[in-house]
Amino acid sequence: MASFPTCSASELTPLLGLAANATAAADYICTRFTATSEKFSDTTYAIDNTYLLFSAYLVFAMQLGFAMLCAGSVRAKNTMNIMLTNVLDAAAGGLSYYIFGFAFAFGVPSNGFIGKHNFGLKSIPSSVYDYSYFLYQWAFAIAAAGITSGSIAERTQFVAYLIYSSFLTGFVYPIVSHWIWSTDGWASATRSPTSGSLLFGSGAIDFAGSGVVHMVGGIAGLWGALIEGPRIGRFDHSGRSVALRGHSGSLVVLGTFLLWFGWYGFNPGSFLTISKSYGTMDTYYGQWSAVGRTAVTTTLAGCTAGLTTLFSKRLLVGHWNVTDVCNGLLGGLAAITSGCAVVEPWAAIVCGFVAAWVLIGLNKLAEKFKYDDPLEAAQLHGGCGAWGLLFTGLFAKKQYVHEVYGDGRPYGVFMGGGGKLFAAQIIQILVITGWVSATMGPLFYALKKLKLLRVSSEDEMAGMDMTRHGGFAYAYHDEELSSHPPTGFMMRSVELSSASPTTENGLK
């Protein structure tokens, strides 16, 4: 927030001379000046809050992207199920984050591990937080839950989604965001001096959430998928991988573009304000320029990762696959999220190129160990998110780090900044992995033991849309056409009966 000059009548009076009304004139001038200054201050608050609210809306729109991507990546018989889980992530996550999550993440004052104030948004708005900040952080929290739902798609009971989503958004994710983003967090790069010293004199830089959001969601999904086991038919009797392809490439592409669009609220929006001046001689350069640069680095990383995946998969498997390209692009976006504000645009190209190969390599590894993740969520968000944290420790630029986090901070190894920031990034990867594993792993295991995790094999084969949600997503009636059937090829509705067995996709 920019500071405005003040006016003192006692200092102004001598400058007006010895006129009898000099004091009155000084009082009048200062009164008008103060009123104008307060108006500018109010306008600045309004601009910054509007910017944050708009960014929150963009991030929330990513839920629609997740829903479309998930729907297109699963088989048609599970479309209703996966769409409902995405709605549940937002709804259950909203209540749990309101009651507990926000307080655990950002309740001040607190200790380095967990927040302990502002439950149920008590004492908000305040000089520290406004409602817009809560909305923005809630959108991040439900994004993490949405990532996890992709890993355990097509075989998970609905009650398990409800339990894990509330637990993840209300407790697991907020603790990590407190460590990294709160001014009291023990690993935070924005830690206040009154809370203690910075980790390695640097703090862990995760500007928009490669670790806090993507690794948390990805690792949670990893444990869920490992404990559940692969879908029926994903690997044959000899252990070879069998592709269970999603039913709609169109939905995958639509979801990818919606997520890409929302990422412009995710990354540039993480500045939280836009009106801040950096106090340079160039009046055209300020935080508004950094916001624009962050949007550029985000774009370049995603584009590079998408193209790298396109040509790499063409060489590896012999064809152009739109789903692989979409996942590669999202992997690049997940990776650049950590360092988007502190790296040069050319470095973002490096980030996207490596992220594509990280995803390809992890997918090969997943097949080798018979790990089944329908949306590649653990590999994409967990693996590429971890690479993004390391990338920041290597390529963060001195000028940008100092503008965003303050003077005198360590910066990237390859930019001449030494290894302190890189060490902090490694610590961040380790603690996120350990924390999520120690909390979500036992939760999924307990759900399995209580028989609340996986659906029966019969339900899984038939499809949860029919067995759990009352019918398929794509249903229509053609009675009106029966008397005047059209010529040529046409699709017709399918009705299930007890006498007619169903195939894997629920069709006769």
Side-chain angles (χ1 to χ4, degrees), residues 77-78 458-468 504:
K77 63 183 182 179
N78 293 310
E458 292 80 9
D459 286 356
E460 185 175 344
M461 291 297 293
M464 285 182 285
D465 284 4
M466 179 55 68
T467 61
R468 299 297 179 102
E504 181 184 67

Side-chain angles (χ1 to χ4, degrees), residues 101 104-105 112-115 168 170-180 186 435:
F104 288 152
F113 178 78
I114 187 172
L168 184 67
F171 182 68
V172 178
Y173 166 83
I175 299 301
V176 177
S177 57
H178 180 81
W179 294 348
I180 309 301
W186 65 269
W435 170 252

Side-chain angles (χ1 to χ4, degrees), residues 168-370:
L168 184 67
T169 56
F171 182 68
V172 178
Y173 166 83
I175 299 301
V176 177
S177 57
H178 180 81
W179 294 348
I180 309 301
W181 287 341
S182 171
T183 55
D184 295 322
W186 65 269
S188 176
T190 58
R191 192 177 195 188
S192 62
T194 58
S195 299
S197 59
L198 295 168
L199 179 65
F200 298 130
S202 167
I205 292 180
D206 187 8
F207 183 73
S210 288
V212 175
V213 178
H214 294 282
M215 276 193 68
V216 168
I219 294 171
L222 171 68
W223 282 106
L226 281 174
I227 292 171
E228 272 196 301
R231 292 167 290 173
I232 296 174
R234 179 65 178 86
F235 299 95
D236 63 18
H237 295 297
S238 62
R240 291 178 299 181
S241 174
V242 177
L244 300 180
R245 299 190 181 278
H247 79 283
S248 176
S250 300
L251 289 178
V252 170
V253 173
L254 175 60
T256 300
F257 274 114
L258 287 169
L259 287 169
W260 191 352
F261 178 67
W263 235 289
Y264 293 119
F266 210 92
N267 287 4
S270 289
F271 278 97
L272 307 181
T273 63
I274 195 173
S275 62
K276 178 182 176 181
S277 172
Y278 288 148
T280 64
M281 295 299 292
D282 299 322
T283 56
Y284 58 82
Y285 183 77
Q287 192 143 289
W288 47 89
S289 302
V291 167
R293 183 184 66 246
T294 300
V296 170
T297 57
T298 300
T299 302
L300 293 177
C303 292
T304 304
L307 290 174
T308 302
T309 304
L310 173 70
F311 291 106
S312 299
K313 296 292 284 189
R314 176 67 173 84
L315 294 174
L316 291 172
V317 300
H319 58 264
W320 315 97
N321 189 308
V322 66
T323 301
D324 289 338
V325 172
C326 287
N327 283 340
L329 189 150
L330 294 174
L333 293 173
I336 195 61
T337 297
S338 169
C340 55
V342 294
V343 299
E344 290 277 18
W346 64 263
I349 296 175
V350 177
C351 178
F353 178 80
V354 176
W357 283 105
V358 168
L359 181 58
I360 292 171
L362 289 176
N363 283 335
K364 289 291 184 182
L365 199 63
E367 286 189 10
K368 180 178 177 63
F369 288 96
K370 298 180 178 57

